[in-house]
């Protein structure tokens, strides 16, 4: 079991006095408070280096924090260690005869799973174990109505990419608070797709990695398809042959690999009835990759479609179906695009790799995978300003715990208001 210090929890009786010290005297940044209803507390996190301080105030007299303060007064309440797999960590502790407060994890702050070790087993210290929400890839199927359109998020599992590459010039001490890396420096990434249902039919935007990568690349990318697109489409009640349009944002393996599957007859389209609407330039780049792009494309994802007659090529921004249009967002690839979904006076956007996770809502947080980073920055800066001002609902394809949300900005600080 690998564990690192996540935070130190401090029980406070008078929050204003605590803030006067940590925020005003020390000049530390206090994150927005979060209610943890299961524990009847309010938590305020203060980033300090690679760890945090958690100020905890009771919201009910029967909460454990209220009872702790009544008995011992304010002060250090617990030490929290972050583990990669909390269930495995608890099993290991039980095997060593360690006394536990929680034998199974429960919900904690920031969407994490938590469990406590009894102080008698840790020499008088209450130790909390936590598994970050950004490592939890439950990927539930979720539905959201947008005017006359029904939007359903589905998933093809998860994979892992080098954290430094995902955040480009952002230093690790900053980005790892948002996305803790594993022992190989990789962060967990969702492979999320979006099904759009309307009177004109069904469309799927992107379709995950599929099952065609060899063992070496599967290991490098840490691909986990234990729960994949077959499962989540079935849970959504959508059969592959019920999809009318496949619309990729681009043709990288993690966005389009699932369009072609292995079958007894060879490599076949997963969506046999669907028209595949693809930018011609992106198709050409996928079939003729260069040194920098070769690792992101898999020709088995695209070449088998060429002879099927199912591909409709286009070159310019356009409406793909009523209420669904694409806009070229050059940067990640030359012909990368985002998808605007509009109905009932509301707008949602599949932001693709312009904003791959909720951590990427800052203008300069651009991946090192972007082939044209200055173009990425210019487009992203314009798009984020527009998304904030016009209140677009943003779908994040790779965020492990947030499918979609609104980007909010206050006093120059951006946050994501989670919707699904």
């Amino acid at each position: 079991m690998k564990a690192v210090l996540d935070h130190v929890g401090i029980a406070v009786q008078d929050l204003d006095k605590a803030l006067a010290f940590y925020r005003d005297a020390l000049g530390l940044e206090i994150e927005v408070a979060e209610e943890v209803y299961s524990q009847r507390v309010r938590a305020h996190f203060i980033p300090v280096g690679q760890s945090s301080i958690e100020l905890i105030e009771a919201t009910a007299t029967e909460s454990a924090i209220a009872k702790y303060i009544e008995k011992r007064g304010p002060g250090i309440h617990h030490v929290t260690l972050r583990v990669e797999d909390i269930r495995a960590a608890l099993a290991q502790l039980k095997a060593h005869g360690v006394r536990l407060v929680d034998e199974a994890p429960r919900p904690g702050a920031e969407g994490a799973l938590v469990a406590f070790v009894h102080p008698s087993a840790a020499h008088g210290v209450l130790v909390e174990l936590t598994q970050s929400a950004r490592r939890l890839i439950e990927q539930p199927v979720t539905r959201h109505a947008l005017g006359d359109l029904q939007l359903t998020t589905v998933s093809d599992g998860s994979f892992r990419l080098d954290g430094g590459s995902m955040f480009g010039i952002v230093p690790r001490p900053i980005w790892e608070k948002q996305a803790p890396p594993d022992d190989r420096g990789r962060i967990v990434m969702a492979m999320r797709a979006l099904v759009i249902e309307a009177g004109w039919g069904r469309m799927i935007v992107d379709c995950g990695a599929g099952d065609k990568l060899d063992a070496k690349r599967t290991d490098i990318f840490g691909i986990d398809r234990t729960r994949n697109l077959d499962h989540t489409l079935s849970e959504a009640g959508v059969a592959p042959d019920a999809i009318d349009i496949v619309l990729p944002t681009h043709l990288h393996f993690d966005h389009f690999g699932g369009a072609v599957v292995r079958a007894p007859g060879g490599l076949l389209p997963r969506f046999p009835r669907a028209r595949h609407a693809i930018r011609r330039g992106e198709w050409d780049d996928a079939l003729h990759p260069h040194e920098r792009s070769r690792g992101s494309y898999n020709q088995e994802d695209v070449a088998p479609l060429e002879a099927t007659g199912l591909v409709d090529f286009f070159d310019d921004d356009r409406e793909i179906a009523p209420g669904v249009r694409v806009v070229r967002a050059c940067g990640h690839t030359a012909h990368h695009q985002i998808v605007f979904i509009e109905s009932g006076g509301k707008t949602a956007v599949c932001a693709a790799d312009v904003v791959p996770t909720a951590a990427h809502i800052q203008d300069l947080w651009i991946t090192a995978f972007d082939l044209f980073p200055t173009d990425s920055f210019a487009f992203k800066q314009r798009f984020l300003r527009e998304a904030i001002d016009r209140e677009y609902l943003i779908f994040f394809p790779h965020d492990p715990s947030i499918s979609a949300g609104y980007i909010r900005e206050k006093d120059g600080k951006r946050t994501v208001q989670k919707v699904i």
Side-chain angles (χ1 to χ4, degrees), residues 228-273:
N228 57 50
L229 198 60
D230 288 335
H231 303 130
T232 53
L233 280 174
S234 176
E235 290 172 23
V238 179
D241 61 4
I243 296 293
D244 299 289
I245 303 171
V246 176
L247 177 62
T249 57
H250 57 301
L251 301 180
H252 282 177
F253 76 86
D254 54 309
H255 288 260
F256 196 62
V260 172
V261 296
R262 295 192 185 280
L267 296 176
L268 300 174
R270 175 189 292 273
F271 307 102
R273 289 184 49 258

Side-chain angles (χ1 to χ4, degrees), residues 132-243:
S132 168
R134 295 188 176 276
R135 291 188 183 275
L136 306 178
I137 312 294
E138 299 297 333
Q139 297 293 320
V141 171
T142 55
R143 292 177 172 82
H144 181 80
L146 188 86
D148 295 330
L149 305 178
Q150 180 75 27
L151 311 182
T152 304
T153 62
V154 291
S155 167
D156 196 40
S158 67
F159 71 122
R160 294 174 185 251
L161 285 179
D162 179 77
S165 296
M166 274 306 297
F167 293 100
I169 64 171
V170 180
R172 175 168 171 162
I174 296 177
W175 63 253
E176 71 177 355
K177 295 188 181 75
Q178 302 285 334
D182 65 12
D183 57 3
R184 294 166 68 176
R186 305 171 304 177
I187 64 172
V188 179
M189 307 271 286
M191 290 189 289
R192 196 175 288 113
L194 184 69
V195 175
I196 304 170
E197 297 179 81
W200 43 258
R202 291 187 179 94
M203 174 189 296
I204 188 168
V205 178
D206 290 340
C207 46
D211 62 356
K212 299 185 302 302
L213 294 183
D214 59 29
K216 181 179 178 180
R217 293 184 78 188
T218 297
D219 174 67
I220 289 172
F221 294 114
I223 292 176
D224 181 356
R225 299 182 66 251
T226 305
R227 186 165 180 269
N228 57 50
L229 198 60
D230 288 335
H231 303 130
T232 53
L233 280 174
S234 176
E235 290 172 23
V238 179
D241 61 4
I243 296 293

Side-chain angles (χ1 to χ4, degrees), residues 294-318:
R294 186 168 290 121
S296 297
Y297 290 117
N298 181 10
Q299 294 199 15
E300 286 188 331
D301 297 339
V302 292
L305 290 173
E306 196 162 18
T308 65
L310 295 174
V311 181
D312 295 326
F313 293 112
F314 64 94
D315 297 303
D316 302 318
D317 295 351
R318 64 178 56 200

Side-chain angles (χ1 to χ4, degrees), residues 15 19 30-34 42-46 53-57:
L15 182 62
L19 293 178
I30 311 292
E31 294 186 356
V32 177
E34 179 183 356
R42 184 177 295 112
H44 302 254
F45 282 91
I46 309 170
I53 295 170
E54 180 188 22
L55 302 181
I56 319 164
E57 58 177 326

